[in-house]
Amino acid sequence: MLVWLNGRILDARAARVSALDRGLLHGDGLYDTWRTYAGRSFAAAAHLRRMAAAARWLGLPPPSTAAAWSARAERLAARNGLRDAAVRLTMTRGATGDGVLPARDGPPTLLLTVRALPADLALQQARGIACVLLPFPRDAGFPWGTMKLVGHASAVVGRRLAVRRRAAEGLYVTRAGEVTEGTTSNLFVVERDTLLTPPRTSGVLGGVTRDLVLRLANSVGLRAREEPLTVARVRRAAELFVTASTVELLPVVRLDGRPLNSGTPGPATRALQAAYRAHVRRALYRQASRRRSS
């Protein structure tokens, strides 16, 4: 695998960062992810805006333009032989002192990586996935939970627990019994003609895909609303699905080992999947048209 590290494309095995990099020592950094379709970046500008906002909080320099990172991601994906790829841009404060307080200013570490999408992604989208409720919440509260900061032990432990229970995703549960989000996804519930998702003020990481799905809800006849979701409410939901930029919308058809309602994706989820894909096609067409005319 090839990676982009501080301006150079290198074999991942030869890429090196300092042992004193603050991302390694203190989690002093952030990241964002997006994906490519047929070799073209999708919604990179929205992801870079979110990353720039988090960089301001940390006192890090803003990443360069979305156009620049889109081009780098597309070039790196092509060099790795990937057309549909998951892209991750990571930024740390670099090797600027190993104490909690940075000792000096210095150049950040910038790492761009790409990876193949899950081989069974289309099957998961069509048939749905299994999820489990986790016995703990996410390890970051508001406002830190609203940023993609480097290092989330709860996501690693939660996903490992989900896999051991033969599930694709784990859903965090707070001490108050509210289900908030997945280890790498946002959560949605369909009740009658309403689409519900936990509010960002609860500390969930508000995803770019989450925001897009909320905007698309009206086009498929759903009202969208943010409100807390209890465990009982999630268990009796007519439809349940999770979202992430790399996997789009994944229907949840089993929860804690039991079928959810009919055990098949529901009509509202199907309609939103179709609306999402249509939006992606239009956006990529407009993007290609602008590139041809520039």
Side-chain angles (χ1 to χ4, degrees):
M1 173 193 285
L2 297 174
V3 302
W4 185 101
L5 176 63
N6 295 330
R8 299 174 61 198
I9 292 181
L10 304 164
D11 188 294
R13 292 168 296 186
R16 297 287 185 271
V17 297
S18 171
L20 299 180
D21 191 280
R22 294 182 59 81
L24 172 65
L25 297 178
H26 295 291
D28 188 4
L30 58 142
Y31 71 98
D32 217 306
T33 56
W34 64 94
R35 68 164 285 181
T36 64
Y37 290 84
R40 298 298 185 189
S41 290
F42 172 70
H47 290 279
L48 268 295
R49 283 194 297 271
R50 178 170 64 177
M51 191 169 187
R56 287 193 296 272
W57 266 89
L58 295 187
L60 289 169
S64 58
T65 67
W69 285 113
S70 290
R72 290 170 185 146
E74 291 166 9
R75 184 163 60 250
L76 184 61
R79 291 284 299 273
N80 280 284
L82 300 173
R83 287 174 57 78
D84 294 340
V87 180
R88 171 170 166 150
L89 173 61
T90 303
M91 174 193 291
T92 78
R93 204 179 303 273
T96 55
D98 60 358
V100 172
L101 181 68
R104 58 191 173 276
D105 292 331
T109 297
L110 288 163
L111 173 65
L112 186 69
T113 59
V114 296
R115 60 178 169 81
L117 300 175
D120 61 346
L121 178 57
L123 190 63
Q124 290 182 341
Q125 292 169 335
R127 296 184 180 178
I129 62 170
C131 286
V132 296
L133 297 175
L134 299 174
F136 49 79
R138 186 171 166 220
D139 57 6
F142 187 85
W144 307 106
T146 64
M147 294 176 274
K148 283 199 166 185
L149 303 178
V150 173
H152 282 301
S154 60
V156 177
V157 174
R159 184 60 67 87
R160 284 169 56 86
L161 178 60
V163 169
R164 286 200 299 270
R165 294 172 61 184
R166 298 185 179 181
E169 178 62 299
L171 305 176
Y172 295 126
V173 180
T174 69
R175 290 184 179 180
E178 293 179 5
V179 188
T180 56
E181 60 193 315
T183 63
T184 59
S185 63
N186 287 114
L187 173 69
F188 287 86
V189 159
V190 178
E191 291 182 353
R192 299 184 181 86
D193 61 348
T194 303
L195 181 67
L196 301 170
T197 193
R200 293 189 62 175
T201 52
S202 66
V204 302
L205 179 62
V208 172
T209 302
R210 172 187 182 273
D211 295 345
L212 175 55
V213 168
L214 288 172
R215 294 198 303 271
L216 292 172
N218 186 65
S219 69
V220 299
L222 294 173
R223 294 177 295 175
R225 194 164 70 236
E226 294 184 344
E227 59 183 60
L229 299 174
T230 63
V231 168
R233 199 171 184 183
V234 168
R235 288 193 188 282
R236 66 172 183 263
E239 298 182 43
L240 191 69
F241 64 88
V242 295
T243 65
S245 294
T246 53
V247 298
E248 301 177 347
L249 285 75
L250 294 180
V252 178
V253 296
R254 294 183 67 84
L255 185 63
D256 286 341
R258 299 178 180 178
L260 191 66
N261 285 328
S262 65
T264 58
T269 304
R270 290 289 193 216
L272 282 167
Q273 285 179 315
Y276 186 93
R277 289 165 185 160
H279 175 88
V280 170
R281 287 194 298 270
R282 292 192 298 269
L284 292 175
Y285 177 81
R286 291 193 298 268
Q287 179 179 304
S289 298
R290 287 195 298 269
R291 291 186 180 189
R292 285 193 297 268
S293 60
S294 62

